[in-house]
Amino acid sequence: TRLTQGVIALVNGGLSGQGRIAWSGAGVVASTGAFTLHDMDLAAPFGPVTGMNGTIRFTDLLKLETAPGQLMTMESINPGILVENGVIRYQLLPDRLIKIERGEWPFMGGRLILQETVLNFARPTAKRLTFEVVGLDAKVFVESLDFKELDASGVFDGVLPMIFDENGGRIVGGRLDSRPGGGALQYNGVINKANLGTMGNIAFEALRDLRFKSMIVRLDGDLAGEFATRLTIDGVALGQTGTQKFIRSLLAKIPLKMNVEIRGPFRALIATAKAFRDPRQTTADVLPRPLDEVPGIVTEVRRKEEEQQQSQTPVEESIEPGPTTQPATNPSEREP
């Protein structure tokens, strides 16, 4: 329907329910209704949504208004980083306004909470959402990005103010703070030290096993474009792995504070890194349908894989001694 143009698109799912409109001779019109969404997928300004389920109970069906406390569950939303199994409480207000009362998702070992806000869908305006991060586990976060060379520990809390408009989504002034006790960073990848110099080598050597008392992560930029991450790390110390002894003894006597800035197309870099190990997601985005649904292709590939495995598998034979040993006429009866 053109009523949703610019609000949602590519809707696919089930909708069922009923409405009731009553009017009197005095010109009084009353309308109510209840409609249930079944496993609905759609595209929205803040990213694709899958598996929406819930019942919308209208107090005024013609004006599309509801009472407070409407409930909707979603399998996933992907504004840049996938979040799953969410619950949102909301209210439909007059003039195509939507009041988000609260949203909550499990997120990287903690919770992601959408704070109360009002979204205006009556005209093209920027949609401002503020997410509160509670108990983000750095180890779970790094593992979810599939960075095999990087390990981390520590628990973080903070806020992620986000703005969504016709150009996509971006974080403005996001900040995450580590909880007391700090954490650690360990980088085990290959480093090209040719042009780093002495201090550069020391810095990357420190990343082999870096311990910190506190870390502040500041986030700004487009979710699908240029993204800036700034790390302020206090109470830096070195662990016992991967660092040379003289570096540990030198830095142990100096109070250190590290400031690190990372700029780049964050989501594109993550997707590229994952594609090196598993290209299926990249090919799935451009193919008309998954390869395993194309008749003959998977069967042929599996047949060749089985032939290759059989040709590489050594066959051992043993023959029992004795004059009565005879070759089996049935291949299935042959002794191993």
Side-chain angles (χ1 to χ4, degrees), residues 260-302:
V260 182
E261 182 167 345
I262 305 170
R263 289 184 175 271
F266 184 64
R267 192 164 71 172
L269 289 174
I270 293 174
T272 301
K274 288 185 175 181
F276 281 129
R277 298 183 180 89
D278 187 355
R280 286 177 295 182
Q281 183 58 49
T282 303
T283 57
D285 293 338
V286 296
L287 291 175
R289 55 176 169 165
L291 281 176
D292 55 8
E293 295 181 4
V294 180
I297 289 184
V298 173
T299 302
E300 181 66 18
V301 171
R302 288 176 179 170

Side-chain angles (χ1 to χ4, degrees), residues 82-126:
L82 181 68
V83 291
E84 299 176 297
N85 302 319
V87 178
I88 288 184
R89 294 186 180 276
Y90 66 97
Q91 179 184 8
L92 302 184
L93 300 174
D95 301 321
R96 297 179 71 184
L97 301 179
I98 298 180
K99 180 181 180 181
I100 304 296
E101 299 171 355
R102 180 185 173 91
E104 186 168 345
W105 296 260
F107 184 64
M108 305 299 174
R111 291 178 297 152
L112 186 68
I113 299 172
L114 175 56
Q115 297 179 357
E116 183 177 305
T117 187
V118 176
L119 306 177
N120 186 354
F121 288 99
R123 51 191 175 89
T125 58

Side-chain angles (χ1 to χ4, degrees), residues 211-228:
R211 311 297 171 90
F212 61 88
K213 291 183 179 179
S214 70
M215 179 187 295
I216 300 173
V217 183
R218 295 178 174 86
L219 304 166
D220 288 278
D222 293 336
L223 295 175
E226 186 72 14
F227 201 87

Side-chain angles (χ1 to χ4, degrees), residues 131-195:
F131 292 91
E132 179 184 358
V133 179
V134 179
L136 181 146
D137 189 324
K139 184 177 182 64
V140 176
F141 177 72
V142 170
E143 290 177 348
S144 72
L145 300 180
D146 200 24
F147 288 159
K148 304 296 185 183
E149 298 83 5
L150 185 64
D151 194 11
S153 64
V155 179
F156 291 78
D157 304 305
V159 292
L160 299 175
M162 305 182 74
I163 300 176
F164 296 92
D165 53 26
E166 64 275 5
N167 297 318
R170 61 187 183 275
I171 297 178
V172 181
R175 173 169 171 158
L176 301 175
D177 292 76
S178 65
R179 289 183 178 178
L185 288 174
Q186 293 178 324
Y187 179 75
N188 301 311
V190 178
I191 300 172
N192 183 0
K193 300 182 178 181
N195 301 315

Side-chain angles (χ1 to χ4, degrees), residues 58-70:
F58 292 95
T59 54
D60 192 324
L61 180 60
L62 295 178
K63 294 182 178 180
L64 299 181
E65 298 174 10
T66 71
Q70 304 296 306

